Amino acid sequence: MKICVTSTGPTMDASVDPRFGRCQYFVFVNSETMEYEAMPNPSIGASSGAGIQAAQIVVDKGAGVVITGQVGPNAIQTLGATNISIVTGASGTVSDAIEQYKSGQLQAAPGAPAPGIPAAGMPAPGMPAAGMPGAGMGRGMGRGGGRGRGGGRGMGGGMGQGMGRGMGLAAPVTPTPPVPSQPAQTLDEEIQALESKMIEIKAKLEELKK
């Protein structure tokens, strides 16, 4: 997973910049290899819309998580539309922030999607914790009518209605097995789907800028 950390400098030893839209640098880190790429924030001097412009950069770079301090509602909406997680509370250097995120010490920003890497013992984003109640509601209505004629010239009719509501407990979350490598053809199809999704996202961003 690629993680974006707002930074005051272009290295892993630079301090975390608490600003998102007007941070000095973006540092994009591979969470597995810790290889990184740094780039200056071109929207730092924007008169308005800095958060949306910064969000567009993160989307274009393919990041799955943003680690920063403060994020405006427009940037949260833009990033949330692409399921990019936003976490806050990091301190120290960019390297420190990555470790804090991996160990589950950081919290999702208000109104933002849940972090992409769950803390130890916690369920994956969007899944209930083991043993926690999960609500399910079902509603059904049925009407049936029958009419029959026999030798005794008898007639009968019946009407019935039923409604049901149920609550259940969510099943414990089991670890997801490793996903095997996919054929090149499948990967090409996924890339095409992602490119189509990016076109839709960019169109939404253009509408938000208007």
Side-chain angles (χ1 to χ4, degrees), residues 40 46 49 68 71 76 111 115 117 125 137 140 142 153 156 159 174 180 189 191 206:
T68 187
V71 188
I76 288 179
I117 299 178
M137 298 182 62
R153 302 183 63 82
M159 304 289 288
T174 56
E189 293 175 354
I191 291 174
E206 291 298 327

Side-chain angles (χ1 to χ4, degrees), residues 5-17 24-27 38-39 94:
V5 183
T6 55
S7 170
T8 59
T11 68
M12 295 288 287
D13 294 328
S15 298
V16 174
D17 193 326
Q24 297 183 49
Y25 286 87
F26 294 109
V27 179
M39 65 174 292
V94 173

Side-chain angles (χ1 to χ4, degrees), residues 72-82 86 111 208:
N74 289 337
I76 288 179
Q77 181 179 2
T78 302
L79 295 171
T82 61
I86 310 168
L208 291 173

Side-chain angles (χ1 to χ4, degrees), residues 103-151:
S103 62
Q105 299 179 39
L106 306 182
Q107 301 294 324
I117 299 178
M122 295 296 291
M127 297 294 292
M132 294 296 290
M137 298 182 62
R139 180 174 180 138
M141 299 181 63
R143 298 174 65 90
R147 183 171 181 142
R149 298 177 69 90

